[in-house]
Amino acid sequence: MAAANPNVIYMDNNATTRVAPEVVEAMMPFLTESYGNPSSMHTFGGLVGQSIKDARCNVASLLGAEPEEITFTSCGTESDSTAILSALRTFPEKRHIVTTRVEHPAVKNLCENLETVTGHKYRVTRLKVDAEGMLDMAEYEASLTEDTAIVSVMWANNETGVIFPVAEMAKMAKQRGILFHTDAVQAVGKIAIDLKRLDIDFLSLSGHKLHAPKGVGVLYIKRGTLFVPFMEGGHQEHGRRGGTENVASIVGLGRACELAAEKMVDENSRVKQLRDRLEGNLLEIIPKSMLNGHKTERLPNTANISFEYVEGEAILLHMNQHGICASSGSACTSGSLEPSHVLRAMGVPFTAAHGSIRFSLSVYNTVDEVDLVIAKMPAIIESLRKLSPFWKG
Ligand code: PLP
């Protein structure tokens, strides 16, 4: 498949993805002639409403859910907040939240806020991870109490790609009458998800991580799960989220989910081959480089590699000169020189955490691109290490 921008080698797909051409095509009518309001009584609006229904079916089908379990939101962050705040309002007497130390800021910062802002007084348990980024299930089990309102655990980590055992965790929560939310923003479209078999009450996803546009997300709410809306207003989204729908983006997300359902298995195995080629070569060729995160329990597209004794930001600048786009730490938290909270939680040494680069591939990457990155990286790392007072190579 042709790159959208031939001057760029884009390996930052956990930050955001290219909107698929098929998705753009599906959206165009709703940005041009089909501008009716889906809530209107006339046929002109009604047809738009039908397109939202179709999109809802496509999203549901990718997740193994029912269409009425799908609520469109503005982004993954909104879905995360909505799920957690809904649980706290549903069970006002319960004051405890269980989460992990490696969540995206969308959950991490909300939990910090709930814990610290005067008047809330929530207690938050943040589960530890080991050196490979995996959870300790005994610690998880012990954390669940009668006071726990909700567990919020990401399906896959945005920085390392590590996948958590959310099916088992949701089951354990359900046995104790505790609501379970998973932030699946990085997982959807990359691994198979079948919610009808699982005890997950809430799941968040975000359009721009799976080749749909920015500004649209989904909150899955399992049938029968008690729910309190975050955004009150009109009757849209079955009264679960007020506000006139972002029609074009919803249609685009529906199309992206349809494409993922059709092609996911083949495409992700191709992406995994590319990722493995990149990762295997870089780890072999570049001394003092190491993989961050579990070797196998990982998204097929993500490789987080530390190059010791160099700064991630400096590496990114050099890569940028060759048109190679990646991230150091999480894109949302870069800009600060603090090493990522995820790598710190895994106990990655400071010298390595600072020099970590996240390569996140997509179906639009090619073998030639991967080989070019493999060819460029050793010289970049070597030149930067020569400037480091700590490098004794
Ligand atoms: N959760 C995870 C795991 C993410 O990676 C991101 C974005 O990077 C978000 C939530 C936030 O999603 P959005 O940008 O749609 O608000």
Side-chain angles (χ1 to χ4, degrees), residues 14 75-77 80 104 106 154 158 183 185-186 206 208-209 332:
N14 288 9
C75 58
T77 303
D80 287 345
H104 184 273
M154 64 201 327
N158 46 302
D183 175 339
V185 163
Q186 294 294 342
S206 174
H208 73 105
K209 309 288 181 175
C332 310

Side-chain angles (χ1 to χ4, degrees), residues 74-281:
S74 67
C75 58
T77 303
E78 184 192 322
S79 302
D80 287 345
S81 276
T82 304
I84 294 171
L85 295 177
S86 171
L88 299 181
R89 288 177 191 148
T90 299
F91 298 113
E93 69 291 355
K94 298 190 177 189
R95 316 298 291 175
H96 180 225
I97 303 166
V98 174
T99 184
T100 76
R101 296 191 181 179
V102 296
E103 296 298 311
H104 184 273
V107 168
K108 178 178 175 279
N109 291 350
L110 175 67
C111 288
E112 273 169 23
N113 191 282
L114 287 166
E115 192 176 40
T116 52
V117 170
T118 337
H120 287 311
K121 298 209 186 67
Y122 286 101
R123 199 162 57 80
V124 179
T125 299
R126 295 177 182 81
L127 303 171
K128 294 193 284 289
V129 292
D130 64 16
E132 293 183 308
M134 303 298 281
L135 294 170
D136 173 351
M137 292 300 273
E139 188 200 8
Y140 172 56
E141 186 164 19
S143 75
L144 303 174
T145 70
E146 289 195 346
D147 193 37
T148 311
I150 187 162
V151 175
S152 180
V153 169
M154 64 201 327
W155 198 311
N157 188 273
N158 46 302
E159 295 190 29
T160 58
V162 168
I163 296 171
F164 285 150
V166 286
E168 196 185 334
M169 297 178 88
K171 193 169 172 192
M172 287 162 71
K174 169 101 176 172
Q175 284 161 352
R176 292 160 179 80
I178 299 168
L179 292 174
F180 190 92
H181 165 248
T182 184
D183 175 339
V185 163
Q186 294 294 342
V188 174
K190 295 176 191 147
I191 53 175
I193 291 181
D194 190 3
L195 289 171
K196 59 181 165 303
R197 299 166 187 277
L198 304 179
D199 295 314
I200 290 171
D201 294 290
F202 300 107
L203 173 145
S204 307
L205 71 84
S206 174
H208 73 105
K209 309 288 181 175
L210 70 149
H211 304 289
K214 296 160 187 64
V216 64
V218 160
L219 178 62
Y220 157 89
I221 308 165
K222 198 175 200 61
R223 184 188 290 158
T225 297
L226 296 171
F227 178 72
V228 183
F230 178 54
M231 285 186 47
E232 301 279 359
H235 57 275
Q236 292 90 352
E237 296 301 296
H238 308 111
R240 292 177 154 184
R241 199 237 185 215
T244 301
E245 299 87 341
N246 179 1
V247 178
S249 295
I250 288 173
V251 169
L253 177 54
R255 183 75 181 111
C257 288
E258 192 178 29
L259 291 170
E262 275 167 23
K263 304 187 195 169
M264 192 169 71
V265 175
D266 289 349
E267 288 189 341
N268 284 329
S269 75
R270 198 179 73 79
V271 170
K272 182 172 181 302
Q273 277 173 17
L274 292 178
R275 191 275 313 266
D276 289 349
R277 184 182 179 106
L278 177 71
E279 175 180 306
N281 276 285

Side-chain angles (χ1 to χ4, degrees), residues 324-355:
I324 307 166
C325 307
S327 273
S328 67
S330 164
C332 310
T333 52
S334 63
S336 86
L337 274 176
E338 276 288 294
S340 113
H341 70 283
V342 175
L343 300 184
R344 271 184 292 145
M346 289 162 62
V348 176
F350 240 65
T351 47
H354 269 297

